[in-house]
Amino acid sequence: IPTALDAPRLVPLIVEAEYPGGPFGAKGFAEQPLMGVAPAVINAVADALGVRPMEIPATPERVLALLRRETAGTQTGVPPTACGAPSAPRPVSDPPTGLDDTIRPGGELLTSAVTTIPLGPATPADVVLTVNGVERKVRVSPGETLLFVLRERLRLTGTKEGCGKGECGACTVLLDGRPVNACLVLAGAAAGSAITTIEGLAAGDELHPLQRAFVDHGAVQCGFCTPGVVLAAKALLDEHADLDEATIRRGIAGNLCRCTGYVRIVEAIGAAARERKG
């Protein structure tokens, strides 16, 4: 799935049509042009290099790992596997360099929880998490992520679980104002920080200006990625006084959307920025 940095500037056309298979009758079109991007890139890699990545995203590291395996197989006389796929389940890519770094939504490197903040309790223990301005005491077991605790312990299900690997951004929350993937943060490590989820943006029935902009600009289709995108956008608005399209696209590059084509999302964030500036 392309990010906001990869997708071309599409012009979404929302066509109102009778559709007995669904409750709303309206169907967007952006999924069709976006869904073909990944296979097109992989086909281009296969045509150019003779190896076909079998896992997406087809990052340079994964392609290089495939090339190394193919070369090693040729030198040892072991026939290459079909389409460059491994013969047995194993990691597609070499371990990335800099394991002490975690990439936050938007591509900025944050220092890893492994090296700079406590990993949390070694046995089940009660911790106090400050969520949306309210202190919540919750029992946390070792290894439980912030995403799990928010959804299953505190029942704040606006934070979505997508890939579980920190790649899609659906679980984005704000930790002391900075966007992080909740699936990569241990719940115990978040104690002492201010956590903001999508439930904490609106003031009662009054939507946050960013949420209202998303509604006004039709920046929502299936809605699964929306909470994470909105929170990443809020951090972007809080950090920058002026936002141009390039800055917005970089800021939400860690949040994947397969429906909208990103155009209306970018327009909504830009409108919210202009409204705030006056």
Side-chain angles (χ1 to χ4, degrees), residues 59-71:
T59 62
E61 292 79 11
R62 287 173 173 164
V63 173
L64 181 59
L66 281 177
L67 285 171
R68 286 173 175 167
R69 285 206 296 273
E70 292 296 315
T71 301

Side-chain angles (χ1 to χ4, degrees), residues 67-194:
L67 285 171
R68 286 173 175 167
R69 285 206 296 273
E70 292 296 315
T71 301
T74 302
Q75 292 174 348
T76 58
V78 178
T81 55
C83 295
S87 57
R90 55 179 172 172
V92 174
S93 60
D94 291 339
T97 59
L99 290 179
D100 290 339
D101 292 324
T102 298
I103 298 180
R104 76 163 188 174
E108 180 180 334
L109 289 176
L110 294 178
T111 307
S112 171
V114 174
T115 59
T116 62
I117 55 178
L119 296 180
T123 58
D126 292 333
V127 299
V128 176
L129 300 177
T130 304
V131 184
N132 300 326
V134 179
E135 291 188 350
R136 306 285 295 272
K137 186 176 181 180
V138 60
R139 192 157 188 83
V140 173
S141 296
E144 286 185 349
T145 64
L146 180 59
L147 172 62
F148 178 85
V149 170
L150 289 174
R151 290 184 57 83
E152 305 301 330
R153 301 267 190 255
L154 301 180
R155 308 307 298 169
L156 295 171
T157 56
T159 304
K160 304 304 181 187
E161 181 170 8
C163 66
K165 300 177 181 179
E167 293 187 356
C168 72
C171 66
T172 300
V173 298
L174 302 183
L175 199 64
D176 292 328
R178 304 188 70 184
V180 298
N181 292 307
C183 68
L184 299 182
V185 177
L186 292 178
S193 296

